[in-house]
Amino acid sequence: MKILHTSFECHPIAKVGGLADVVGSLPKYQSNFDVESFVVMPFYENSYLKKKKIVEIKKGAIDLNGISYQYVVYKFKPKDISYSVYLIQIKDLLDTENVYGYINETQRYIGFQKAVLDWIKSEDLTFDVIHCHDHHTSLIPFFIKHCSEYKCLENTPTVLTIHNAQYQGQFAHDSLNLLPQFDFNNVGLLDWYGSVNPLAAGIKCATKVNTVSPSYMEELKKNAAGLEGLLSSESDKFHGILNGIDTAVWNPETDGSISKNYRVGNVISGKKANKTALCKKYGLDPELPLFGFIGRLVYEKSADLLADVIRETLLKTKELNIFVLGSGNEEIEAQILELKEEFKEHFNAYIGYDEELSHLIYAGADFLLMPSRVEPCGLNQMYSLRYGTIPIVRRTGGLKDTVVDIGDGGFGICHNQATIWDISYSIGRAIELFKDQKSFRKIQKQIMKIDNSWDKSAKEYVDLYKSI
Ligand code: ADP
Ligand code: GLC
């Protein structure tokens, strides 16, 4: 079976968040099930790609509202990736350093999707399934079903994976002329409450739709940033498949980004060495329990509550250290930076994106905070488990599906509300657990053995492909 994944992110080529981790690892694990996967993504002018050897395989052109853009498709199969990646370069449209944050986002997404289909069509390529990830590529199912230009692809089944329904890619009807020509009787398929809504169009037109955890699927039927009615009515084709993690990349035994490698057998000395390295670099005392936070500093992650939680906790007790790695909302970034001055020996943060540092935190921290308001799946908690770092999570989405509270016979610390009180209370529970070193060490070992690999979920995706 041949599958084409279409995405704007793919680790290690270009990553903003978990979408990249999933698109970068799922194809690798699908090959265990007789599936040959390919990824097609934009070519970015970033430092990773600048150093790589890529081969030009095709040139073509697309039209966006009367303006013609030349595109070039490159093929890329480096040693650190076991599947082929196709990179689409579109000059003056996609040739940016970063993935998101440009004013012409709609043009970028539509231009990319047109180029993907033009390339498939002109090269006569066949895929058994086109697998679209998030709203950036979720117009493809509509294009191949309803645009005469791509009629030859109309029988290709499509899967749409919703990694995060908060982002839907809406734009005004005025911009409909960016799309390929379609029978106007079908305009309703594009519309959702007066806007063109690519995610909604994908849900309506894809053969199958899934999201990245069973609990998030159920939550979306009740609350999906306006799409709940649609997801309920399309529930027959809607599935929840829990993400897995790439256990080759996220492995404390071999991880090249941490100070000392370790396994279950020497977790105590291993984590101690990593904690010491992290604490030394950031002026913290390694004897105290260390709480980490890694993530986008946005409302969905409850990052707006972090500063108050940290201040309240550290004013009450100095029995802990906290380290934050993240970037996002400027106001939240400023709040975090302010805390650095206020609690010099107990709090530190790195505002920015740093993949290496994230690995050191997973390895060196004792607890990982994830109080998310919305968490479709969440990968951080699964990485932290593998590195023997106890997750503190809000019971929502994928966090609910992957972390069980110690009080319920599990291994994590869970709370229900995204409130300062609930999060602070959980931190208090963690401090108490840390004092009971015997129980703490037992859980540390237990969580490192939990299997969150792709093995089961990669097969669920393959079964989904087979069903269509
Ligand atoms: P989301 O995709 O919603 O941001 P996930 O938990 O699925 O959340 O995945 C986040 C991914 O991004 C993880 O691999 C995490 O380690 C990484 N990450 C987030 N913020 C940073 C950062 N500032 N520096 C390095 N890695 C980060
Ligand atoms: C999104 C979600 C996150 C999920 C990731 C990968 O970014 O916010 O919860 O883990 O996609 O599916």
Side-chain angles (χ1 to χ4, degrees):
M1 207 178 350
K2 278 169 79 178
I3 309 297
L4 181 68
H5 292 270
T6 62
S7 173
F8 261 63
E9 297 182 41
C10 175
H11 179 265
I13 302 165
K15 167 168 167 177
V16 176
L19 169 64
D21 289 7
V22 170
V23 176
S25 56
L26 174 60
K28 213 154 98 176
Y29 290 85
Q30 288 182 327
S31 65
N32 298 336
F33 300 95
D34 246 358
V35 166
E36 195 182 358
S37 292
F38 304 84
V39 172
V40 61
M41 65 183 293
F43 176 96
Y44 300 106
E45 297 284 344
N46 67 14
S47 53
Y48 179 91
L49 283 174
K50 264 188 196 134
K51 287 182 236 139
K52 301 291 173 187
K53 213 176 131 210
I54 50 178
V55 185
E56 183 180 315
I57 56 164
K58 153 110 195 127
K59 271 196 172 107
I62 51 141
D63 171 90
L64 274 185
N65 200 11
I67 304 173
S68 174
Y69 289 89
Q70 308 297 309
Y71 73 83
V72 184
V73 185
Y74 297 96
K75 190 171 177 179
F76 177 47
K77 193 167 182 185
K79 284 192 210 91
D80 50 351
I81 301 176
S82 57
Y83 47 88
S84 294
V85 178
Y86 295 99
L87 298 152
I88 298 196
Q89 184 179 51
I90 309 181
K91 225 176 154 329
D92 300 326
L93 190 68
L94 280 180
D95 52 348
T96 50
E97 184 183 351
N98 297 321
V99 180
Y100 310 118
Y102 299 98
I103 45 164
N104 58 345
E105 278 193 342
T106 301
Q107 282 84 345
R108 285 162 65 83
Y109 302 146
I110 295 173
F112 173 71
Q113 295 173 88
K114 281 184 163 181
V116 168
L117 296 183
D118 191 73
W119 158 63
I120 297 177
K121 183 181 126 181
S122 59
E123 297 285 278
D124 235 348
L125 302 173
T126 49
F127 296 100
D128 295 292
V129 176
I130 298 181
H131 189 153
C132 309
H133 294 269
D134 271 349
H135 74 87
H136 325 114
T137 64
S138 65
L139 284 171
I140 286 179
F142 176 85
F143 288 180
I144 66 178
K145 268 190 171 166
H146 301 289
C147 300
S148 52
E149 209 174 309
Y150 309 119
K151 194 142 185 64
C152 58
L153 298 172
E154 73 179 341
N155 293 323
T156 307
T158 50
V159 169
L160 166 64
T161 297
I162 304 174
H163 294 264
N164 197 331
Q166 299 297 114
Y167 305 99
Q168 300 171 4
Q170 297 97 324
F171 57 91
H173 278 253
D174 301 358
S175 298
L176 270 178
N177 42 13
L178 293 169
L179 303 188
Q181 269 200 347
F182 62 94
D183 176 352
F184 211 73
N185 288 322
N186 292 319
V187 73
L189 292 169
L190 295 166
D191 182 85
W192 194 251
Y193 288 106
S195 296
V196 180
N197 186 317
L199 193 66
I203 295 167
K204 293 177 201 173
C205 300
T207 324
K208 288 280 182 186
V209 179
N210 83 290
T211 189
V212 288
S213 72
S215 284
Y216 186 57
M217 177 182 76
E218 291 309 323
E219 288 168 13
L220 282 182
K221 289 182 195 163
K222 296 184 199 103
N223 182 2
L227 298 182
E228 41 287 324
L230 178 60
L231 284 164
S232 290
S233 65
E234 296 281 358
S235 66
D236 283 356
K237 64 176 189 190
F238 192 29
H239 301 256
I241 303 181
L242 190 69
N243 284 335
I245 62 169
D246 190 336
T247 47
V249 174
W250 299 95
N251 182 356
E253 245 184 291
T254 52
D255 192 329
S257 301
I258 62 179
S259 268
K260 183 182 158 136
N261 291 117
Y262 59 97
R263 52 187 193 285
V264 180
N266 64 349
V267 56
I268 299 184
S269 62
K271 283 193 72 74
K272 191 174 175 192
N274 287 296
K275 185 175 175 181
T276 306
L278 182 63
C279 288
K280 198 169 161 207
K281 189 163 174 204
Y282 289 96
L284 302 170
D285 175 2
E287 292 305 316
L288 294 174
L290 177 62
F291 292 70
F293 175 95
I294 301 170
R296 296 181 288 117
L297 297 178
V298 296
Y299 179 83
E300 278 170 52
K301 303 280 179 194
S302 296
D304 53 310
L305 303 178
L306 274 183
D308 283 341
V309 167
I310 295 167
R311 181 170 294 110
E312 200 163 286
T313 307
L314 286 174
L315 286 175
K316 228 187 285 165
T317 172
K318 296 283 187 294
E319 281 180 87
L320 75 160
N321 289 323
I322 306 176
F323 189 88
V324 170
L325 165 64
S327 62
N329 179 294
E330 281 177 19
E331 211 174 299
I332 302 176
E333 290 182 358
Q335 291 169 1
I336 300 287
L337 286 173
E338 220 174 274
L339 288 176
K340 273 174 75 157
E341 292 308 308
E342 216 172 319
F343 299 102
K344 272 204 170 96
E345 278 150 33
H346 291 274
F347 176 77
N348 211 333
Y350 178 84
I351 300 296
Y353 186 88
D354 188 330
E355 189 93 15
E356 284 230 333
L357 179 56
S358 76
H359 284 245
L360 188 61
I361 299 170
Y362 290 120
D366 297 297
F367 300 96
L368 188 90
L369 288 167
M370 267 187 105
S372 312
R373 286 193 178 87
V374 181
E375 200 57 83
C377 179
L379 300 170
N380 301 14
Q381 80 280 12
M382 297 199 256
Y383 298 149
S384 90
L385 290 169
R386 189 146 164 83
Y387 283 71
T389 302
I390 299 172
I392 300 177
V393 307
R394 172 163 176 256
R395 286 188 186 90
T396 186
L399 297 173
K400 198 161 135 189
D401 293 342
T402 51
V403 182
V404 181
D405 192 87
I406 295 166
D408 300 324
F411 45 82
I413 295 178
C414 306
H415 54 91
N416 289 330
Q417 309 297 332
T419 58
I420 298 171
W421 195 88
D422 263 35
I423 306 166
S424 308
Y425 182 75
S426 292
I427 294 178
R429 284 182 67 199
I431 295 173
E432 288 310 306
L433 175 65
F434 189 79
K435 284 184 192 153
D436 175 3
Q437 277 288 302
K438 200 167 155 222
S439 307
F440 175 75
R441 296 296 176 198
K442 196 170 150 218
I443 293 172
Q444 222 171 28
K445 289 187 178 148
Q446 179 193 348
I447 59 180
M448 285 183 75
K449 293 184 210 151
I450 296 174
D451 181 5
N452 277 313
S453 68
W454 268 114
D455 293 339
K456 185 166 165 280
S457 303
K459 177 159 185 318
E460 281 182 49
Y461 273 108
V462 174
D463 290 342
L464 189 68
Y465 301 151
K466 283 185 183 160
S467 75
I468 53 176

